[in-house]
Amino acid sequence: MSNYYGNQPPQHVVVYAAKESWLAYLLWFLLGNFGAHKFYLRQNGMGFLYLGLGLIGYATAWFVLGFLFLIPLWIMMVIDLFTIPGRVRQVNGHLHYQGAVRPY
């Protein structure tokens, strides 16, 4: 069966929006203890690590054991404060390299 494109099936194009540093910082500030900024920046493994540490840490914080989970989480969040711009550039560069984002 022929269509407007000839015998070729239509191609589907998926366009991903570029990531924004300000949004990553907002997620870091509001939901950083649960890894929201990591999920936004496509670091799902680290996002689940933050989520697990945050949930276990806050659930057991009343019992001093929780701080064994929260202190490493907070240290990683301080590191993220300085590494978010580089990660945003890396994610956006990967999207541009694949041709997924159209430059305007």
Side-chain angles (χ1 to χ4, degrees), residues 27-103:
L27 290 171
W28 175 87
F29 183 74
L30 297 175
L31 298 168
N33 286 314
F34 302 108
H37 63 293
K38 291 293 189 179
F39 289 114
Y40 176 69
L41 296 175
R42 298 184 178 188
Q43 291 180 304
N44 293 339
M46 290 297 290
F48 283 116
L49 176 65
Y50 278 50
L51 182 61
L53 288 174
L55 290 176
I56 294 169
Y58 286 114
T60 59
W62 60 273
F63 190 70
V64 180
L65 177 68
F67 289 100
L68 294 175
F69 296 95
L70 292 176
I71 291 172
L73 175 65
W74 294 335
I75 291 170
M76 290 188 297
M77 286 191 57
V78 169
I79 293 169
D80 288 342
L81 186 60
F82 301 101
T83 60
I84 284 177
R87 179 62 186 161
V88 168
R89 281 192 302 273
Q90 182 183 13
V91 170
N92 288 340
H94 183 68
L95 290 176
H96 285 290
Y97 178 74
Q98 290 181 339
V101 178
R102 285 183 269 156

